[in-house]
Amino acid sequence: MRMRGIVSAACLLFVPLIAWGQGNSITSSTSQAEVDTFNTTNVTQRVDTFSTEIRARIGNGPFLYDQTFNVAFSDPTVQNAITAARNVLTGAGGVTITGPTQISSNTSQINTQTNTVQTNKQTTSVVVGTKMFVGPVTVTTGNLGICTAFTFDSGAPTYANPTGCSLPGTPFPVAPGGIDFDTRTLTQATVSQTVTTTNTFLTTQVYELDAGQPPATPAPPSLILTLTGLATAGLFAAKRKFALRR
């Protein structure tokens, strides 16, 4: 009699569960997320670029040579340009060449770039937890990517609730009265990385070579003699004409 009573009680207990299962669905899903801790090494480096202008003129006249080079003043290309500028001044008759004299110089930052390189990654822990969701509800399943932080669910101590994730996951709707058991895998890792910041500077300089005016060209002796002769002949003709009038 006692065994019959126990069986009857068990039947009464499972009949509602069977009835519920026939009208509602039970599903299962999976999701995964990763939370990284970063060990970062910061490196800063400087890159210098140049713009060097070489120009040359005689006196206050127009520039007979004016070229700009994307290298420093000490570069052989600029030094060859200085020689070329002197030759231009000499060829134009310039004398007493001075310079190159620095006219202006300015250095400014023109660009900043940051590059991150991962040097090592090590998994520190993997936690798997399952949580029951009762519909109507939408469960976030699938891959949530890399997340910034997480907390464990109060109702399922090993089920992680990550935040700041790089992927949205896959929404999984659970109908009213339905149940979904989502099993979430949380991976924690330590990432070592090097962050290199490159600052680029531009130095712009202007150098000038100056030459004196060439001396005035003296008149040749033959021209002087000719002019003297003409002046003498003119004076003699004027005196003779004056004498005839008297």
Side-chain angles (χ1 to χ4, degrees):
M1 294 294 294
R2 183 179 179 184
M3 179 61 68
R4 183 179 297 177
I6 294 174
V7 172
S8 299
C11 291
L12 292 174
L13 177 64
F14 282 103
V15 166
L17 292 177
I18 293 172
W20 178 88
Q22 290 177 347
N24 299 277
S25 63
I26 299 177
T27 58
S28 62
S29 59
T30 60
S31 57
Q32 53 274 351
E34 179 177 324
V35 175
D36 294 340
T37 300
F38 293 93
N39 292 329
T40 303
T41 300
N42 293 302
V43 177
T44 301
Q45 62 183 13
R46 172 173 175 148
V47 175
D48 285 292
T49 59
F50 300 90
S51 175
T52 306
E53 180 182 3
I54 302 297
R55 62 193 191 189
R57 63 181 175 179
I58 297 176
N60 294 321
F63 291 106
L64 303 180
Y65 185 95
D66 192 348
Q67 297 290 330
T68 301
F69 306 90
N70 295 325
V71 292
F73 178 77
S74 58
D75 190 270
T77 302
V78 175
Q79 297 305 307
N80 292 336
I82 293 172
T83 300
R86 285 197 179 99
N87 292 336
V88 168
L89 293 177
T90 302
V95 295
T96 317
I97 300 173
T98 60
T101 303
Q102 188 179 90
I103 303 302
S104 64
S105 180
N106 179 63
T107 300
S108 60
Q109 184 173 339
I110 59 173
N111 190 31
T112 297
Q113 289 185 334
T114 301
N115 184 43
T116 302
V117 176
Q118 180 178 308
T119 57
N120 187 42
K121 183 175 183 179
Q122 183 176 1
T123 299
T124 56
S125 69
V126 178
V127 180
V128 181
T130 300
K131 180 179 178 179
M132 183 181 71
F133 293 88
V134 179
V137 68
T138 298
V139 182
T140 301
T141 65
N143 187 8
L144 305 182
I146 306 298
C147 306
T148 58
F150 75 95
T151 57
F152 285 117
D153 195 273
S154 59
T158 60
Y159 187 86
N161 294 315
T163 56
C165 299
S166 60
L167 297 177
T170 302
F172 180 74
V174 180
I179 291 178
D180 179 70
F181 291 93
D182 183 65
T183 300
R184 177 164 293 168
T185 301
L186 175 72
T187 301
Q188 292 181 271
T190 298
V191 178
S192 298
Q193 62 183 11
T194 300
V195 178
T196 302
T197 301
T198 302
N199 298 318
T200 302
F201 292 82
L202 173 64
T203 298
T204 303
Q205 295 180 325
V206 178
Y207 290 86
E208 186 173 314
L209 290 87
D210 296 287
Q213 293 284 357
T217 303
S222 57
L223 178 59
I224 295 175
L225 292 175
T226 300
L227 293 175
T228 302
L230 291 175
T232 303
L235 180 60
F236 178 76
K239 288 183 177 180
R240 184 176 180 185
K241 185 176 180 179
F242 180 75
L244 291 174
R245 285 182 179 178
R246 293 182 63 185

